[in-house]
Every structure is written in structure tokens, then in C-alpha cells.
């Protein structure tokens, strides 16, 4: 009798655990769908807002006697951004077609993790940028300012003209600085291309599973 009662109690326990787990999973799925829907709503709101501002500026320019180049530049910028947001919004219509919605669903999962990961690695990237300005700023325009240094390092991450950057920066007569430039570029490529970018790729690949 005790054994039968214990079996009944165990079944009731696992029954309750199963439906609690199912309810939690259902609530998590519903919450994720709400977050995704809110994201698409924000994208649509941004696209519509930019379109309306562009239309208002177009009316202003149409009834203006003089051609304002600044206004024309703002119109082009708003038109480009509005077209971009509205094209991205087209992905929301693929929600009922999983094969077409795979990339958007994966990026929705990966972007929060990638955002935190980028925040974590930015001090390293910024440190390389400051080091480049301090050491090579007076020898090359590629490291003249912090912005130029960050742009040069970003181009290096994409393998863009590595030899040209090295030859253009390597203008010092001091042999220690020449060797330091070699080690600077080598260590940057090893740290970012050999390690950091591969971890980012792993985060994106994990979102597809």
C-alpha cells in the first residue's frame, strides 16, 4: 500500500512539474514574441517618422524660392534612412514562413549577446587606437587622430591594404619604432582576427541552433 501510494505521489509530482515547465516555456515564448513584435513596431515607427519628415521638407523646398543646399542634404539623408527602415520592415512579413525568416530570427537572438560582447572588447580596440595615435600620429595620417586610428584599425580587421598601411606608417628612422609597428600590427591582427572575431562568429552560429 505504501509503495502504491508513493508511486501515485511521484506521478502527481512529475505531472505538476511537467505542466509548470510547459507553462514557463509558453510564457517565455510569448514574451520573446512580444519583444520581437515591439522591435518591428519601433522599426516601422522610425521609417514612417522619417518619411513624414522628408515629405514636410520636400514641401518646404517646393514652395521656397531659393535652393538650400543644407535642406537638400537633409532630404537625401532622410530619404535614404526611410527607404532602409521600410525595406528592413519587409522582413516582418516573413514571420509565418520560417525558411525565409531564419536570418531575422537568428539575428534577434544573437544581437543582445553581440552587443554585450562588443561593449566588452571595445576597451581593447580603443586602447590600440590611442596607442596608434600616441606612437605613430606624427609620422602618418592614418593615425593622426583617434578617429583616423579607429578607422585604420577597422580597415585592418577587414584585411584592407595591410601592406600599404604598414609601408605608409613605417616612416621613422628610429629602428625601435619600426619594430614596434610590426609588433603592433601583428598583435592586433592576432588578437582580433585570430580570437575576438571568431568568438563573435561562434555567437552568431550558436543563434542558428
Amino acid at each position: 500500500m505504501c509503495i502504491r501510494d508513493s508511486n501515485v505521489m511521484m506521478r502527481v509530482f512529475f505531472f505538476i512539474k511537467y505542466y509548470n515547465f510547459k507553462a514557463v516555456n509558453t510564457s517565455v515564448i510569448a514574451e520573446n514574441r512580444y519583444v520581437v513584435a515591439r522591435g518591428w513596431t519601433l522599426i516601422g515607427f522610425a521609417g514612417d517618422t522619417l518619411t513624414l519628415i522628408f515629405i514636410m521638407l520636400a514641401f518646404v523646398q517646393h514652395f521656397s524660392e531659393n535652393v538650400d543646399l543644407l535642406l537638400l542634404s537633409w532630404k537625401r539623408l532622410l530619404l535614404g534612412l526611410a527607404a532602409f527602415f521600410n525595406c528592413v520592415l519587409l522582413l516582418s512579413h516573413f514571420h509565418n514562413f520560417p525558411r525565409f525568416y531564419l536570418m531575422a530570427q537568428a539575428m534577434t537572438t544573437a544581437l543582445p549577446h553581440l552587443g554585450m560582447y562588443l561593449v566588452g572588447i571595445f576597451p581593447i580596440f580603443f586602447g590600440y587606437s590611442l596607442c596608434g595615435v600616441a606612437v605613430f600620429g606624427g609620422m602618418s595620417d592614418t593615425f593622426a587622430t583617434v578617429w583616423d586610428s579607429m578607422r585604420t584599425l577597422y580597415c585592418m580587421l577587414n584585411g584592407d591594404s595591410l601592406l600599404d598601411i604598414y609601408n605608409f606608417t613605417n616612416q621613422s628612422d628610429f629602428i625601435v619604432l619600426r619594430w614596434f609597428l610590426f609588433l603592433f600590427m601583428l598583435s592586433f591582427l592576432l588578437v582580433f582576427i585570430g580570437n575576438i572575431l571568431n568568438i563573435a562568429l561562434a555567437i552568431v552560429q550558436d543563434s542558428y541552433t
Side-chain angles (χ1 to χ4, degrees):
M1 187 68 181
C2 293
I3 296 175
R4 182 181 299 175
D5 291 340
S6 63
N7 289 333
V8 172
M9 292 296 294
M10 288 294 292
R11 289 180 182 178
V12 172
F13 174 76
F14 283 114
F15 178 81
I16 295 173
K17 290 290 288 182
Y18 169 74
Y19 277 95
N20 283 339
F21 178 75
K22 187 176 181 180
V24 170
N25 280 347
T26 304
S27 63
V28 170
I29 292 173
E31 183 179 358
N32 289 337
R33 288 179 178 176
Y34 171 73
V35 171
V36 172
R38 185 174 59 181
W40 288 125
T41 302
L42 291 175
I43 292 176
F45 178 76
D48 293 341
T49 303
L50 292 170
T51 303
L52 289 175
I53 297 175
F54 167 78
I55 293 173
M56 288 187 291
L57 292 181
F59 273 110
V60 171
Q61 186 179 12
H62 179 74
F63 292 103
S64 178
E65 297 180 357
N66 299 322
V67 177
D68 191 349
L69 295 179
L70 181 61
L71 183 62
L72 182 61
S73 300
W74 275 109
K75 276 182 54 183
R76 290 177 177 176
L77 178 62
L78 291 170
L79 180 61
L81 290 175
F84 172 76
F85 279 107
N86 282 285
C87 287
V88 172
L89 189 62
L90 291 175
L91 290 175
S92 64
H93 300 289
F94 294 152
H95 187 269
N96 296 322
F97 304 94
R99 293 185 178 180
F100 298 105
Y101 197 68
L102 180 62
M103 188 276 294
Q105 186 176 6
M107 293 306 297
T108 302
T109 305
L111 281 177
H113 302 286
L114 283 176
M116 291 185 291
Y117 182 66
L118 291 176
V119 172
I121 66 173
F122 180 76
I124 303 175
F125 183 81
F126 192 65
Y128 270 99
S129 302
L130 292 179
C131 181
V133 174
V135 179
F136 311 113
M139 298 184 297
S140 173
D141 293 336
T142 54
F143 293 97
T145 63
V146 176
W147 175 252
D148 291 332
S149 181
M150 295 175 67
R151 183 178 57 185
T152 301
L153 293 177
Y154 177 77
C155 292
M156 288 173 58
L157 282 178
N158 293 278
D160 187 15
S161 304
L162 290 175
L163 186 59
D164 293 337
I165 293 174
Y166 178 79
N167 291 331
F168 189 71
T169 308
N170 194 15
Q171 302 293 330
S172 176
D173 295 330
F174 189 32
I175 190 171
V176 175
L177 286 182
R178 292 190 174 186
W179 277 104
F180 181 79
L181 174 62
F182 174 77
L183 294 175
F184 175 83
M185 294 182 65
L186 179 63
S187 64
F188 178 79
L189 294 176
L190 287 176
V191 169
F192 277 85
I193 295 181
N195 186 15
I196 292 177
L197 290 183
N198 285 327
I199 296 176
L201 180 61
I203 293 174
V204 175
Q205 288 179 339
D206 184 64
S207 64
Y208 281 92
T209 58

